[in-house]
Amino acid sequence: MVAQIPYGRVTTYGTIAAYLGAKRSARMVGWALNATRDNPEYGHLPCHRVVNRNGEVTGERYFMGDIMCERLKQEGIVFIDENTVDLVKFIWDPSRDSNFKNESFD
DNA sequence: CTAATGACGACAC
DNA sequence: CGTGTCGCCATTA
């Protein structure tokens, strides 16, 4: 799912969880991403494009250092704060992406 | 089995 | 709009 996030866009844990049908499992999304951390298979995953509901790049302090913020800025994401992106402008809603809409995640 | 915890979210103040 | 609470689900102690 995270791998489908378009360049220059971000999405939130809740959005992903909601789209997968697990609206109340936002934490699980973070947990899932955490699992990819030491998993070489997902090493290339654009996890820096996943932020929390407030647009805060919380994972930054947790494990990737400044990598996440730097890559986001590099992609044209506008930060409204030290570690907060302009979620209103760059939020990516999977249900509004025609290329992604047809994927099945039952 | 119970308690605590987390890359979180919604809601009440 | 910052802070406090409670809910969530999987994992771990």
Side-chain angles (χ1 to χ4, degrees):
Chain A
M1 178 96 186
V2 176
Q4 314 304 316
I5 305 175
Y7 181 96
R9 291 284 200 69
V10 298
T11 191
T12 74
Y13 302 93
T15 301
I16 295 175
Y19 189 74
L20 294 177
K23 300 182 182 178
R24 305 158 197 82
S25 301
R27 302 188 85 158
M28 233 188 64
V29 179
W31 170 84
L33 257 53
N34 182 34
T36 70
R37 179 162 58 146
D38 296 317
N39 193 331
E41 185 178 354
Y42 297 102
H44 56 81
L45 210 66
C47 44
H48 56 280
R49 297 189 188 134
V50 183
V51 297
N52 69 13
R53 182 64 182 139
N54 290 318
E56 302 167 63
V57 191
T58 53
E60 181 257 353
R61 72 171 176 91
Y62 186 75
F63 96 112
M64 282 194 87
D66 54 323
I67 309 285
M68 294 182 77
C69 286
E70 289 305 314
R71 288 186 69 173
L72 287 171
K73 291 176 183 172
Q74 187 181 344
E75 295 186 3
I77 304 294
V78 176
F79 277 67
I80 61 182
D81 195 2
E82 180 68 28
N83 55 334
T84 306
V85 304
D86 193 339
L87 204 51
V88 180
K89 288 185 179 179
F90 297 99
I91 180 69
W92 173 68
D93 187 348
S95 63
R96 300 198 336 180
D97 188 308
S98 55
N99 265 355
F100 191 66
K101 183 157 48 172
N102 298 332
E103 303 279 340
S104 57
F105 284 95
D106 302 271

